[in-house]
Amino acid sequence: MADKIKDAKIIFVVGGPGSGKGTQCERIVAKYGYTHLSSGDLLRAEVASGSDRGKQLQAIMQKGELVPLDTVLDMIKDAMIAKADVSKGFLIDGYPREVKQGEEFEKKIGKPCLLLYVDAKSETMIKRLLKRGETSGRSDDNEETIKKRLDLYYKATEPVIAFYESRGIVKKVDSELPVDEVFVQVSQAIDSLK
Ligand SMILES: Nc1ncnc2c1ncn2[C@H]1C[C@H](O)[C@@H](COP(=O)(O)OP(=O)(O)O)O1
Ligand SMILES: [Mg+2]
């Protein structure tokens, strides 16, 4: 089964909370037909299902912490296999959150051809998340949890970018710009893959 996804194009989309990963992924899906898999969305769907696993996940996410590595990876892999026949490639949004997650992903699934680094200042991310929190219904879009998520991003996730820099596959886009202008940079990064 996993063979089906071995040759698929895989893009890691990495950036802080509220940097604009989901927004840019939506555009990529529309233009390039990639499949968008947000680890956060997959986890929130599990929470919404009301399963026991979902209840455990909710408690962790509400604290702004990372859920166990194997849980997220299994969910991503299942979702990739389900879409393998119809997908031109995969956008893995919000994963890896730490270097170890990237290593495990490569062992169990495959290597990314690009890491799209969606970069914004922390003040910008906080502002966007507080605004998003007015309507998102996300229990982690509150001031206290946002601060923890940002701390964890700088501590655990920025090293992921450095790790893939050394492999030469990181493309950074300036997500301080308006969405359309960010997407111009995103498109250039994806077009240069072919
Ligand atoms: N370039 C941009 N300029 C202004 N607002 C943006 C933006 N990119 C995203 N946003 C808005 C949309 C959302 O309400 C909020 C967070 O964006 P998001 O795509 O949900 O971020 P992420 O998925 O990285 O957490 O910011
Ligand atoms: Mg998102």
Side-chain angles (χ1 to χ4, degrees):
M1 262 308 233
D3 281 356
K4 279 209 282 188
I5 47 178
K6 240 174 56 194
D7 299 322
K9 273 199 185 119
I10 295 169
I11 299 177
F12 284 165
V13 184
V14 177
S19 60
K21 300 181 296 294
T23 303
Q24 293 302 319
C25 283
E26 227 174 84
R27 299 288 183 103
I28 299 170
V29 170
K31 181 170 175 186
Y32 295 94
Y34 276 56
T35 296
H36 177 207
L37 297 174
S38 154
S39 56
D41 289 349
L42 290 170
L43 292 165
R44 282 185 288 278
E46 184 76 32
V47 171
S49 79
S51 67
D52 281 345
R53 182 157 80 165
K55 286 186 190 118
Q56 290 166 10
L57 291 172
Q58 182 172 36
I60 297 168
M61 288 159 76
Q62 211 147 27
K63 287 189 274 182
E65 294 171 2
L66 295 181
V67 309
L69 192 156
D70 290 336
T71 311
V72 199
L73 197 53
D74 286 346
M75 292 171 92
I76 292 175
K77 188 172 178 182
D78 289 347
M80 287 178 79
I81 289 170
K83 293 276 184 173
D85 290 332
V86 294
S87 185
K88 298 218 171 88
F90 293 97
L91 299 168
I92 310 300
D93 164 7
Y95 187 99
R97 285 287 224 275
E98 55 188 356
V99 172
K100 183 146 193 347
Q101 290 190 351
E103 291 170 343
E104 287 301 309
F105 184 101
E106 293 193 23
K107 265 192 235 158
K108 289 197 182 162
I109 300 175
K111 280 193 193 311
C113 55
L114 172 69
L115 185 152
L116 198 59
Y117 170 21
V118 182
D119 185 34
K121 289 192 259 192
S122 67
E123 304 93 81
T124 306
M125 294 193 272
I126 292 168
K127 233 176 22 201
R128 287 179 186 167
L129 289 172
L130 289 174
K131 184 101 187 66
R132 186 175 76 180
E134 290 170 9
T135 53
S136 69
R138 280 181 52 167
S139 62
D140 59 351
D141 280 347
N142 65 77
E143 206 154 352
E144 196 193 332
T145 309
I146 288 169
K147 200 183 163 301
K148 286 193 195 149
R149 290 158 71 202
L150 276 172
D151 285 347
L152 189 58
Y153 169 71
Y154 289 115
K155 205 171 75 193
T157 310
E158 276 203 330
V160 171
I161 298 162
F163 178 82
Y164 288 100
E165 280 297 359
S166 66
R167 225 187 258 176
I169 64 163
V170 174
K171 287 274 163 62
K172 174 165 146 177
V173 297
D174 180 4
S175 199
E176 290 289 321
L177 296 170
V179 173
D180 286 344
E181 290 173 44
V182 182
F183 190 60
V184 170
Q185 297 181 11
V186 168
S187 294
Q188 281 164 358
I190 294 179
D191 288 341
S192 71
L193 285 178
K194 289 171 205 152

